[in-house]
Amino acid sequence: MRPYSHFLDQIRLAGLRPTRQRLALAKLLFSGENRHVTAESLHGEAQAEKMRVSLATVYNTLHQFTSAGLLREIVVDAQRSYFDTNTGDHHHFYFEENGMLTDISDDMMSLTKVPEAPEGMAIKSVDIVVRVVEKTQ
Amino acid sequence: MRPYSHFLDQIRLAGLRPTRQRLALAKLLFSGENRHVTAESLHGEAQAEKMRVSLATVYNTLHQFTSAGLLREIVVDAQRSYFDTNTGDHHHFYFEENGMLTDISDDMMSLTKVPEAPEGMAIKSVDIVVRVVEKTQ
DNA sequence: GTGTTTGCAAAGTGTTTGCAATTTA
DNA sequence: TAAATTGCAAACACTTTGCAAACAC
């Protein structure tokens, strides 16, 4: 378990005030393994742990953490936004049936040819989503 | 310009009745080059051409055409759904600043290693989105 | 005629915003 | 105490739905 001060510093370094809510959410997000959350799922978790945080604050915090580079936003479903605590170079499996998202380590996948960006444009990211469904039979 | 009967057959083959609205939308979608549309953009186009189609019908039609395999849905933005008339194997550039989407021909890009699907799952698709922004030079 | 499709307006979903009250520094 | 942050409720954007009228076959 990471020390309390770790989250405190992390938030301060992001230029944000370490409020009770931000600390609570940081603890949920960055304590263990890499995670993929939606605003709803994180809010639900916080409630389950008796942390009092409003859904609006969860949204704000997720966006602030994303701007600060602590999280990465992943677009896989038009219905909801996902945030990934792993900000490194990697791609995703998306389980369409239950909305789950898991990492694909970068060495499991390789892109040998990347197209040049169109005239006057710069590539911001190359996002790969491998959509999977339950095998029938 | 494709003959009228082409769209008629296309819709019939999809198991749908060739109504005035579906024919009009098929004409907009499948007349020229491959296209990327949103419900709003297609509805706007229909209006501009004095075709009377409600937005609800545009949504319904896009989904019906997608189920029928005439269109492919592309997820690049949590805010809106895009539909692509090119149902073949290819990937996309997404211009974040203006919401534009363009095809990347399959030979401009190559994926040499694709991970195995997790236990019990089957890969449905591998979607690559290259996000580009204006070069700040 | 019968079943399908349309269009409207209402409802739904996930997300953002305005603002007074609260908290942080 | 000044500035940032929170939480609520209202507003939002996009999408879906219920249902009577219109249409296709």
Side-chain angles (χ1 to χ4, degrees):
Chain A
M1 180 68 187
R2 288 171 186 284
Y4 184 83
S5 65
H6 171 81
F7 302 120
L8 230 155
D9 293 345
Q10 193 170 209
I11 291 172
R12 283 227 177 85
L13 282 170
L16 299 168
R17 289 186 177 177
T19 61
R20 177 174 59 73
Q21 290 84 340
R22 287 184 184 142
L23 278 165
L25 297 176
K27 206 162 120 188
L28 289 176
L29 289 167
F30 307 116
S31 279
E33 295 284 294
N34 282 326
R35 313 205 43 198
H36 300 92
V37 303
T38 63
E40 291 280 358
S41 78
L42 187 60
H43 184 238
E45 261 183 76
Q47 306 246 288
E49 305 255 350
K50 308 275 187 251
M51 296 165 171
R52 286 173 298 94
V53 193
S54 73
L55 185 56
T57 297
V58 173
Y59 274 106
N60 289 336
T61 303
L62 286 172
H63 286 133
Q64 291 155 352
F65 284 5
T66 301
S67 303
L70 302 176
L71 293 176
R72 190 200 322 174
E73 190 168 356
I74 312 285
V75 181
V76 282
D77 183 312
Q79 301 319 296
R80 80 197 95 250
S81 299
Y82 285 82
F83 295 84
D84 188 348
T85 58
N86 177 354
T87 57
D89 206 359
H90 71 288
H91 303 294
H92 296 94
F93 278 123
Y94 181 58
F95 296 72
E96 296 207 324
E97 280 125 335
N98 65 6
M100 233 182 52
L101 203 57
T102 65
D103 287 352
I104 299 178
S105 66
D106 207 36
D107 58 291
M108 290 293 298
M109 190 147 204
S110 62
L111 201 54
T112 41
K113 198 157 44 166
V114 175
E116 274 197 48
E119 188 61 33
M121 306 299 291
I123 292 179
K124 198 191 131 199
S125 69
V126 178
D127 299 346
I128 309 186
V129 178
V130 180
R131 289 169 199 277
V132 299
V133 291
E134 231 157 278
K135 214 182 271 177
T136 51
Q137 85 59 207
Chain B
M1 181 69 185
R2 286 172 187 284
Y4 184 83
S5 63
H6 172 81
F7 302 120
L8 231 154
D9 292 346
Q10 194 171 208
I11 291 171
R12 282 226 178 85
L13 282 170
L16 299 168
R17 289 189 178 174
T19 61
R20 177 175 57 73
Q21 290 85 340
R22 288 183 183 143
L23 278 165
L25 296 176
K27 206 162 121 188
L28 289 176
L29 289 168
F30 307 116
S31 280
E33 296 285 295
N34 281 326
R35 313 205 45 198
H36 301 90
V37 302
T38 63
E40 292 278 358
S41 78
L42 188 60
H43 184 239
E45 260 183 76
Q47 306 246 288
E49 305 256 348
K50 309 278 186 247
M51 296 164 169
R52 285 172 299 96
V53 193
S54 75
L55 185 56
T57 297
V58 173
Y59 273 104
N60 289 336
T61 304
L62 286 172
H63 286 132
Q64 291 154 352
F65 284 6
T66 301
S67 303
L70 302 176
L71 293 175
R72 194 217 296 190
E73 190 169 356
I74 312 284
V75 180
V76 282
D77 183 312
Q79 301 320 292
R80 81 197 93 250
S81 298
Y82 285 81
F83 295 85
D84 188 347
T85 57
N86 178 354
T87 56
D89 205 359
H90 70 288
H91 304 294
H92 297 94
F93 278 123
Y94 182 58
F95 296 74
E96 296 207 324
E97 279 123 338
N98 65 8
M100 233 181 53
L101 204 56
T102 65
D103 287 351
I104 300 177
S105 66
D106 208 36
D107 59 291
M108 292 293 299
M109 189 145 205
S110 62
L111 201 54
T112 41
K113 199 159 41 166
V114 175
E116 271 196 52
E119 189 60 32
M121 306 298 291
I123 292 180
K124 197 191 132 200
S125 69
V126 177
D127 299 345
I128 309 186
V129 177
V130 180
R131 289 169 199 277
V132 299
V133 291
E134 232 157 277
K135 212 183 273 178
T136 49
Q137 110 17 239

